[in-house]
Amino acid sequence: MYIILKFYFKRVHPNTSTTITTKIKNMNSLPSDAFNMRVTEEDTNQTERSQWILNSPNPPPLWKKLISPLKNKKHFFSSKNRTCNEHAFSFIGNLFPILSLFKNYDAFKFKDDFLAGLTLASLSIPQSIGYANLARLDPQYGLYTSVVPPLIYAVMGSSREIAIGPVAVVSLLLSSLCQKVVDPVAHHDDYRNFVFTVTLFAGIFQVAFGVFRLGFLVDFLSHAALVGFMAGAAIIIGLQQLKGLLGISNFTKKSDVVSVVESVYKSLHHQIPSGEWYPLNFVIGSSFLIFLLIARFMGKRNKKLFWLPAIAPLVSVILSTFIVYISKADKNGVNIVTHVKRGLNPTSVHQLQLNGPHVGQAAKIGLISAVIALTEAMAVGRSFASIKGYHLDGNKEMLAMGCMNIAGSFTSCYVATGSFSRTAVNFSARCQSSISNIVMAVTVILCLELFTRLLYYTPMAILASIILSALPGLIDIREACYIWKVDKVDFLACIGAFFGVLFVSVETGLIVAVSISFGKIVIQSIRPGIEVLGRIPRTEAFCDVSQYPIATSTPGILVIRISSGSLCFANSNVVRERILKWITQEDELKETTKGRVQAVILDMTNLMNVDTSGIIILEELHKRLLSRGIKFAMVNPRWLVIHKLKVANFVDKIGKEWVFLTVGEAMDACLSYKFADP
């Protein structure tokens, strides 16, 4: 028998089944009783290994999976053996990470945070006023948003570098969506109250994401889609700043590029006496824009001059305000900020429209704003956390962001998040902790109490130039080229978001980006990878024969691996048809199995789940194979898969002896079956 098998494997298939021939040789050298004992022992070991799979513990029930994120010990509590006081201290410590800061905090670290906070405030004050104007709110509301949210985040957030406040993209998002519900010109107060209500809902959604650990929902806006969305939003923001830069009084309410360019073109073709626009606004704005861009360029070229682009906006505001005041340029058509309300944040609880007709729309816009704000903040926070070498807890960040926006909605703030430009300044200023946010907020409070009257003559063109100078950081052409090289489908999501924002609306851009990203997931689920495996010579490894041409298939045995996380209603028919095609078509048969198929081995190592449709397809496939006299074997199904297959009695139908731990064991069994039943 040994001589016959050895001759067969050397002539037909020299590189596979080395293990079997070695076993037969070893068995042939043993006495008859020892040979029988050896065979029985190996059969027992193989049966025992199969029982490891068949007797694996049942997976946890559905209700445990749903509540397990809430019972994560690392989230708020660390041990069940702690006392009530220890639990309370652990809860407070996890809820307020700033408390752990003071263990190693000293005067030198505070000096760095204090200087970073002052530098941050010099950039934040003019930007906040400009972003409030972009959101179609009065200037003081941008300053309010730079007070309460940073203070709340400083005690609850886990990032040391992130700078909190209003940002350009969220301000544009609010203005473009909210003005469709309430007219900011005709109903100014109602519009402001609606924005506060949107902020409340955004905070509630963010808290829910953190408490229920639903951060994966934010990931549907992929990195590629975010790159395209930011670039498109930056161009739209830049075009909208032409209103302030040119001093145009009548401007379109639409946000798409065609409407904005058309509005600018019509305004510029009117005569100056008509009052449509005044060139002096452009002269002031463009002059200081050049100054801001030069300061930004010098700061990038020389890291020691990081403070120059940080204080340049404040210097521009001071100089331009002084020039307008002494030259009376406001009398000659230069648009100015005029009155900025003095004092700290007033309460806005009574202004929330929770019983009005627009509650549903406020909740929808709040959800969109919450996702965008979280996506930008997480991208910024994780980038700088990786540089400093520490981990950023995403769920704690969501909880902190939500709490600060809820508190902000009660104190006349609109949606705040982490700003990339201000965070970069904070990082360059060598901040040590979130104390820099507190220093910045206190500085803004002093500005609200003491210096708001000095902002009366600040030209609107300066605010436009400050926003324009910050936009190049939102357009990342190098990253878009990288996405194109790595993944063309991701690049499609990037371009879809970019053109959607640019030519339709911000909301459409988001829908396009999420739809393409979600469509990519659906396509990958519907068309799973189905690989034919072969043994790598001189190893026990089975790999895809398409990727490794050196891998050889065993005659008459088809080894298949499903490279998908789930065998479900969406892809089960594709799996069945592909396997039956390999079995029935002669051309592929010759290439994959080199003979008539007598056994099919299905490697389920990568398969995490199977639904009822998948089980029905497996049963149908087994019947089709059985009618052709082909054995069907399964390899290493995961515990959720084997549990469902046992409940559906599929394991009993194929036979428990045909469930194996490794492909090698299944191959040995199929070869034994092949020679036993020629």
Side-chain angles (χ1 to χ4, degrees):
M1 177 180 178
Y2 163 70
I3 296 174
I4 296 174
L5 290 177
K6 183 177 180 181
F7 174 78
Y8 172 80
F9 282 112
K10 280 188 175 182
R11 292 293 301 273
V12 179
H13 200 62
N15 292 324
T16 60
S17 306
T18 306
T19 305
I20 292 182
T21 55
T22 303
K23 288 179 181 179
I24 296 173
K25 184 176 180 180
N26 293 337
M27 291 177 182
N28 195 48
S29 62
L30 295 175
S32 177
D33 294 340
F35 177 84
N36 294 332
M37 291 177 61
R38 181 69 176 269
V39 171
T40 305
E41 182 181 353
E42 291 198 355
D43 291 343
T44 303
N45 291 337
Q46 182 175 326
T47 304
E48 183 181 355
R49 286 193 293 270
S50 297
Q51 290 299 320
W52 294 346
I53 299 175
L54 296 171
N55 297 330
S56 59
N58 293 333
L62 180 62
W63 65 270
K64 278 192 175 182
K65 291 183 179 180
L66 294 176
I67 68 170
S68 60
L70 303 179
K71 300 177 69 175
N72 192 338
K73 295 187 291 184
K74 295 183 179 180
H75 189 47
F76 287 112
F77 302 106
S78 300
S79 175
K80 293 183 179 180
N81 298 324
R82 291 186 172 186
T83 63
C84 292
N85 290 334
E86 290 174 334
H87 274 306
F89 283 121
S90 176
F91 175 80
I92 294 173
N94 281 279
L95 190 61
F96 303 107
I98 195 174
L99 297 177
S100 61
L101 170 69
F102 298 109
K103 295 179 181 179
N104 300 316
Y105 201 70
D106 53 28
F108 295 101
K109 291 184 178 180
F110 177 73
K111 182 195 71 172
D112 290 338
D113 284 336
F114 182 75
L115 295 176
L118 292 179
T119 308
L120 199 57
S122 67
L123 176 62
S124 179
I125 291 171
Q127 277 193 351
S128 298
I129 297 173
Y131 293 151
N133 181 56
L134 180 61
R136 298 181 180 269
L137 295 170
D138 294 333
Q140 64 269 16
Y141 294 109
L143 296 174
Y144 294 158
T145 308
S146 294
V147 174
V148 173
L151 291 175
I152 301 294
Y153 181 85
V155 298
M156 297 188 66
S158 55
S159 174
R160 305 169 194 166
E161 295 82 23
I162 195 168
I164 299 298
V167 297
V169 174
V170 175
S171 300
L172 171 67
L173 182 69
L174 290 175
S175 65
S176 62
L177 296 181
C178 293
Q179 69 177 355
K180 295 179 181 178
V181 182
V182 182
D183 191 341
V185 177
H187 306 283
H188 180 268
D189 292 344
D190 291 339
Y191 176 83
R192 177 200 61 202
N193 298 341
F194 183 74
V195 171
F196 293 159
T197 308
V198 168
T199 304
L200 174 63
F201 279 109
I204 291 173
F205 282 119
Q206 288 172 339
V207 169
F209 291 161
V211 172
F212 295 102
R213 308 181 75 82
L214 300 176
F216 66 91
L217 296 177
V218 180
D219 295 333
F220 275 104
L221 190 62
S222 64
H223 170 70
L226 186 62
V227 170
F229 174 78
M230 289 292 189
I235 295 176
I236 292 297
I237 292 170
L239 291 174
Q240 288 196 341
Q241 296 316 299
L242 294 177
K243 175 185 178 181
L245 195 65
L246 300 175
I248 300 174
S249 56
N250 295 324
F251 201 71
T252 180
K253 295 180 181 179
K254 298 180 180 179
S255 62
D256 62 284
V257 64
V258 176
S259 300
V260 174
V261 171
E262 184 181 2
S263 179
V264 173
Y265 178 79
K266 289 180 179 179
S267 298
L268 292 178
H269 273 68
H270 284 279
Q271 297 296 323
I272 293 178
S274 67
E276 279 294 319
W277 72 285
Y278 293 89
L280 191 57
N281 289 281
F282 178 74
V283 172
I284 296 175
S286 59
S287 300
F288 280 96
L289 177 59
I290 294 173
F291 166 69
L292 291 168
L293 292 176
I294 292 174
R296 181 185 179 90
F297 175 76
M298 294 177 64
K300 281 190 173 181
R301 288 292 298 271
N302 190 346
K303 298 299 182 182
K304 293 182 179 180
L305 297 178
F306 70 89
W307 51 269
L308 185 58
I311 67 170
L314 186 59
V315 171
S316 300
V317 169
I318 295 173
L319 289 178
S320 62
T321 303
F322 181 72
I323 291 172
V324 171
Y325 175 73
I326 63 173
S327 64
K328 306 297 181 182
D330 58 309
K331 305 295 184 181
N332 297 315
V334 174
N335 296 333
I336 59 175
V337 173
T338 64
H339 180 67
V340 179
K341 190 175 180 180
R342 177 179 175 273
L344 298 179
N345 300 41
T347 179
S348 56
V349 176
H350 60 285
Q351 297 173 351
L352 298 176
Q353 301 174 342
L354 299 178
N355 296 321
H358 306 306
V359 176
Q361 292 167 309
K364 183 188 76 170
I365 299 174
L367 176 60
I368 297 173
S369 303
V371 172
I372 293 297
L374 282 177
T375 304
E376 184 172 359
M378 295 301 294
V380 172
R382 284 172 176 168
S383 298
F384 288 94
S386 63
I387 296 174
K388 284 291 189 71
Y390 68 93
H391 173 68
L392 199 65
D393 191 328
N395 293 293
K396 287 184 180 179
E397 287 295 290
M398 294 177 191
L399 185 62
M401 294 278 177
C403 289
M404 77 180 189
N405 280 315
I406 291 175
S409 68
F410 297 154
T411 53
S412 302
C413 304
Y414 70 97
V415 180
T417 187
S419 166
F420 183 82
S421 60
R422 293 197 292 273
T423 302
V425 169
N426 198 29
F427 176 80
S428 300
R430 296 185 300 179
C431 72
Q432 301 296 322
S433 68
S434 57
I435 297 295
S436 60
N437 273 293
I438 298 178
V439 175
M440 180 202 69
V442 172
T443 307
V444 176
I445 290 173
L446 294 177
C447 176
L448 283 167
E449 288 288 352
L450 304 175
F451 304 116
T452 53
R453 290 185 180 181
L454 301 179
L455 298 174
Y456 185 90
Y457 290 99
T458 301
M460 299 294 293
I462 290 300
L463 301 180
S465 64
I466 290 172
I467 295 176
L468 285 169
S469 66
L471 295 181
L474 298 178
I475 303 175
D476 197 341
I477 299 177
R478 182 179 297 178
E479 187 65 20
C481 294
Y482 170 78
I483 293 171
W484 165 258
K485 291 179 182 178
V486 174
D487 193 324
K488 301 299 187 292
V489 179
D490 271 357
F491 184 76
L492 185 63
C494 177
I495 290 297
F498 176 76
F499 286 114
V501 172
L502 205 60
F503 291 104
V504 187
S505 66
V506 176
E507 188 176 11
T508 302
L510 286 174
I511 294 174
V512 170
V514 173
S515 299
I516 293 176
S517 300
F518 188 74
K520 178 183 176 182
I521 298 173
V522 172
I523 292 174
Q524 290 176 344
S525 300
I526 294 176
R527 307 292 298 181
I530 307 173
E531 305 166 353
V532 176
L533 305 184
R535 191 195 298 267
I536 301 295
R538 296 181 298 277
T539 70
E540 293 296 320
F542 286 81
C543 300
D544 184 8
V545 295
S546 299
Q547 183 178 359
Y548 300 93
I550 195 175
T552 54
S553 301
T554 303
I557 299 177
L558 183 63
V559 185
I560 298 172
R561 179 168 60 203
I562 302 175
S563 296
S564 174
S566 176
L567 181 64
C568 59
F569 66 94
N571 58 20
S572 56
N573 280 310
V574 175
V575 174
R576 178 194 59 186
E577 296 301 327
R578 191 69 180 272
I579 295 174
L580 292 177
K581 180 181 177 182
W582 274 323
I583 294 172
T584 55
Q585 291 189 358
E586 294 295 329
D587 292 339
E588 289 196 340
L589 246 170
K590 293 177 182 177
E591 182 179 349
T592 57
T593 61
K594 303 176 182 177
R596 192 181 74 84
V597 177
Q598 294 179 322
V600 173
I601 300 173
L602 189 61
D603 185 1
M604 295 184 169
T605 304
N606 297 333
L607 201 63
M608 303 298 296
N609 199 357
V610 61
D611 65 0
T612 52
S613 298
I615 296 175
I616 291 173
I617 292 301
L618 288 176
E619 291 177 345
E620 183 179 344
L621 179 63
H622 176 245
K623 290 179 181 178
R624 296 283 294 273
L625 296 177
L626 193 62
S627 65
R628 294 173 176 267
I630 301 173
K631 292 300 295 183
F632 181 71
M634 295 189 305
V635 173
N636 196 24
R638 309 302 286 267
W639 67 339
L640 184 58
V641 175
I642 194 63
H643 171 72
K644 291 184 178 182
L645 294 180
K646 287 193 298 184
V647 171
N649 297 322
F650 181 72
V651 175
D652 295 332
K653 293 177 182 178
I654 67 170
K656 295 181 179 180
E657 66 276 9
W658 289 99
V659 179
F660 302 94
L661 186 62
T662 65
V663 177
E665 292 178 358
M667 182 70 72
D668 292 347
C670 291
L671 286 172
S672 300
Y673 166 78
K674 178 179 176 181
F675 291 118
D677 187 15

